[in-house]
Amino acid sequence: MTVTRFAPSPTGYLHIGGLRTALYSYLWARKNSGKFLLRIEDTDLKRNSAEAAQKIEEAFAWCGLKHDGEPIYQSQRFDLYKQYVQQLLDEGKAYYCYATKEELDEMRAAQQAKKERPRYDGRYRDFCGEPPSGVDPVVRIKAPTEGTISFVDGIKGELSFNVQDMLDDFIIARSDGTPTYNFVVAIDDALMGLTDVIRGDDHLSNTPKQIVVYEALGFEIPKFYHVPMILNPQGKKLSKRDGATDVMEYKQMGYFPEALLNFLIRLGWSHGDQELFSMDEMLEYFDPKDINSSASAYNAEKLLWINAQYMKSLPADRILNDLQALGLDIASHPKRELIVDALRERAKTLVEMKEMAEKIIEKPTAYDEKAVKKFLDESAFEILANYLQELKAQDALEKSEDFETFTKAFLEKHDLKLKHLAQPLRIAMVGSAVSPSIYDTMAIIGKEAFVERIEALLAYFQS
RNA sequence: GGCCCGUUCGUCUAGCGGUUAGGACUCCGGCCUCUCACGCCGGCAACAGGGGUUCGAGUCCCCUACGGGUCACCA
């Protein structure tokens, strides 16, 4: 069975790059009817964690990514890790190192002065004398001192690292007894039954270290996939300064989670020429072997376009629901579906749609000067006054078509073209020369309010 | 600096030895049209450079350049 995981360190929120690797892991597990697990890498006790984990769960929930089982917190498994440290100690595969930080700093400085790679020199590797007093030792693992460590990366292909310039006897337990990252990752991945480790390629050079741990402990080595990073539009590593990196910010900005996921899956992965993928299609087509081996730059315009595509196709009640969450209360508006359908081809985000809807629903508080100047002359007022009079005499105008029929009859009767009337009516309805179809706009506003708005416009310019 | 990974239009990408190098976003034209959008049609635009291998190279190999990652008692 395929088992994958997402293993963030608690940094406070779910990063958009994290979401992409999580999505890849999620898809691969689900596609193979396997398991997708969540593990919080909080071995550094100096950092927060409960709150950060909650943020990740929140973002997952918004995106519809479900992990299997309860999240695993490394901070709660220290006893377990200690057993493995002891096991390696007992088997002679690890040892206490009494070198102080100062000593190590000195050693590194000397190596760098000689233009050598900084690495632990193994001074306590075979030490069996009397330990220096007053030093809390760290535990180091005995890494191989020569040869190569090779593995096949599911994305990058066959990889081979020369032990001499990658490894040293790295620390697996700090002087306070807490275990370190590369040690616990290997243990947890093995114990959790991981078959496929999909992670950012910033971890690529950790992999040989983790393989050392797997081998020392006799665990089976999983398959690795190192996913290239997401770059900012300038081609540099994506950072907070590049705008929205927190997944939940996209919710605030009016994006659909489906669109964000669609955007992220296409960043570094493709299936022929297809751009839009439903979750079912993602599950059908996704395979980590098709992930690109080079980094890709974040492109906000493409995301906006994808969101617009979802805006056009998502069901109206779903969109209504999301608008409600953004504070637009039209759940009981009689024309709520018409509002969505009139705006879904114009608004690229929910926030935009909310603003556009408000512009129609609320009566205009001002009239756009340019539009007034361009479209409201004497004859326009006259036409508007006539239109108003006949409109008031009409009853039972309800649907867009009703307004259209009425308006066309009016135009024909007075031998006018629509262009004489459309823009003046728009200004009356929304205060500017831009709105959806005037008939839809009329229907949304309703006959009573429509009459009032024309009257208001005429009154405003009579004084 | 050592090691590792990478390099097709501005961006995301297709390509898996023989293509007029395809699609998408952006941008620019045009059409549609009650405005704005949407949609449709069209256009601009790329194989980092240099060596090989081969009848033939974007595709395979090497070098150079550039970009990224990583070298902690962080994860």
Side-chain angles (χ1 to χ4, degrees):
Chain A
M1 182 173 65
T2 302
V3 181
T4 67
R5 48 78 162 174
F6 180 55
S9 56
T11 50
Y13 64 90
L14 179 56
H15 188 274
I16 194 165
L19 177 58
R20 186 179 59 149
T21 52
L23 173 64
Y24 288 159
S25 296
Y26 171 85
L27 291 172
W28 192 228
R30 291 284 170 268
K31 181 191 175 92
N32 295 300
S33 311
K35 284 196 187 312
F36 171 61
L37 308 174
L38 177 63
R39 183 176 74 224
I40 309 296
E41 314 231 300
D42 54 353
T43 51
D44 183 5
L45 296 176
K46 291 183 233 54
R47 293 198 203 177
N48 44 331
S49 88
E51 194 186 322
Q54 209 176 355
K55 294 264 186 208
I56 286 161
E57 296 272 25
E58 186 192 1
F60 267 27
W62 180 59
C63 294
L65 298 190
K66 289 194 189 70
H67 61 265
D68 294 297
E70 290 300 307
I72 287 178
Y73 291 83
Q74 292 186 322
S75 59
Q76 293 171 5
R77 291 158 68 87
F78 279 12
D79 288 345
L80 181 70
Y81 305 135
K82 268 181 194 152
Q83 287 173 28
Y84 284 104
V85 172
Q86 194 56 51
Q87 182 186 325
L88 291 183
L89 247 14
D90 292 345
E91 292 172 353
K93 292 175 177 169
Y95 58 93
Y96 289 108
C97 168
Y98 297 88
T100 61
K101 279 179 193 169
E102 292 71 30
E103 217 178 318
L104 293 172
D105 286 343
E106 238 172 78
M107 178 193 76
R108 269 192 286 268
Q111 287 166 334
Q112 277 175 346
K114 283 191 280 181
K115 298 223 191 280
E116 285 172 6
R117 180 178 81 93
R119 58 180 300 194
Y120 177 68
D121 60 6
R123 60 183 65 176
Y124 284 96
R125 186 174 168 116
D126 300 308
F127 180 74
C128 42
E130 192 66 26
S133 62
V135 178
D136 289 327
V138 300
V139 179
R140 290 179 182 274
I141 191 167
K142 283 184 181 170
T145 53
E146 54 184 16
T148 58
I149 291 184
S150 309
F151 61 96
V152 177
D153 186 279
I155 294 171
K156 308 209 182 244
E158 200 162 323
L159 261 21
S160 191
F161 296 87
N162 194 334
V163 157
Q164 268 151 7
D165 42 45
M166 285 300 292
L167 289 175
D168 60 6
D169 289 350
F170 58 93
I171 293 170
I172 59 174
R174 303 184 183 94
S175 47
D176 65 0
T178 59
T180 58
Y181 174 75
N182 283 117
F183 186 61
V184 299
V185 166
I187 291 174
D188 282 333
D189 283 343
L191 262 30
M192 288 161 72
L194 269 285
T195 57
D196 297 76
V197 172
I198 301 173
R199 68 203 339 181
D201 75 357
D202 48 339
H203 287 289
L204 197 54
S205 48
N206 284 325
T207 306
K209 290 183 185 176
Q210 290 169 20
I211 287 175
V212 168
V213 177
Y214 278 102
E215 285 177 343
L217 258 14
F219 290 140
E220 197 179 327
I221 298 169
K223 181 147 195 187
F224 295 102
Y225 302 82
H226 288 97
V227 180
M229 306 275 87
I230 298 178
L231 274 21
N232 69 14
Q234 286 72 241
K236 305 285 179 191
K237 192 180 179 183
L238 195 62
S239 78
K240 288 192 187 92
R241 302 191 54 199
D242 297 309
T245 51
D246 178 355
V247 167
M248 293 311 279
E249 282 180 71
Y250 289 86
K251 184 184 182 192
Q252 296 303 317
M253 292 188 292
Y255 287 92
F256 297 109
E258 291 92 333
L260 183 60
L261 257 25
N262 196 145
F263 170 70
L264 289 174
I265 195 176
R266 275 290 284 109
L267 209 54
W269 175 88
S270 61
H271 179 72
D273 285 341
Q274 189 168 343
E275 297 289 347
L276 268 15
F277 296 87
S278 66
M279 182 49 78
D280 284 346
E281 288 173 314
M282 290 185 196
L283 286 167
E284 189 182 343
Y285 300 136
F286 180 74
D287 190 317
K289 78 173 166 45
D290 297 323
I291 295 173
N292 267 200
S293 50
S294 58
S296 29
Y298 175 92
N299 178 207
E301 275 128 20
K302 186 93 170 220
L303 171 59
L304 201 57
W305 177 81
I306 292 174
N307 205 63
Q309 303 310 305
Y310 280 86
M311 188 68 93
K312 281 190 279 193
S313 61
L314 251 17
D317 55 354
R318 157 66 191 281
I319 294 176
L320 250 1
N321 218 295
D322 288 357
L323 287 170
Q324 187 82 18
L326 281 172
L328 181 70
D329 192 15
I330 52 170
S332 56
H333 194 289
K335 292 291 192 298
R336 55 188 178 279
E337 293 213 359
L338 180 58
I339 293 174
V340 170
D341 287 334
L343 295 176
R344 71 194 318 160
E345 305 221 319
R346 287 163 237 267
K348 288 183 160 61
T349 67
L350 289 159
V351 169
E352 270 180 35
M353 184 177 272
K354 174 174 181 266
E355 286 163 2
M356 289 174 177
E358 283 165 348
K359 195 180 161 193
I360 297 170
I361 293 163
E362 292 159 17
K363 64 182 174 208
T365 53
Y367 297 110
D368 181 76
E369 235 175 86
K370 275 188 186 165
V372 168
K373 208 173 162 194
K374 189 167 177 192
F375 298 111
L376 292 184
D377 54 14
E378 279 307 312
S379 76
F381 283 117
E382 205 182 308
I383 296 168
L384 233 32
N386 283 336
Y387 184 83
L388 175 65
Q389 200 177 19
E390 296 188 20
L391 177 67
K392 282 162 97 172
Q394 269 296 323
D395 43 40
L397 294 182
E398 191 55 44
K399 295 192 237 176
S400 303
E401 298 78 52
D402 299 338
F403 285 98
E404 183 168 1
T405 307
F406 166 76
T407 304
K408 284 192 167 156
F410 172 86
L411 291 171
E412 194 158 338
K413 181 175 162 192
H414 295 272
D415 195 25
L416 293 166
K417 290 270 166 48
L418 184 56
K419 63 182 172 188
H420 300 309
L421 187 59
Q423 293 305 71
L425 281 176
R426 259 198 185 90
I427 296 169
M429 289 191 286
V430 301
S432 78
V434 178
S435 85
S437 149
I438 53 171
Y439 308 121
D440 287 342
T441 310
M442 291 170 192
I444 291 167
I445 293 169
K447 194 204 156 194
E448 291 300 307
F450 180 35
V451 166
E452 283 167 24
R453 289 189 194 186
I454 299 174
E455 284 173 338
L457 179 78
L458 292 174
Y460 183 84
F461 284 100
Q462 263 156 23
S463 56

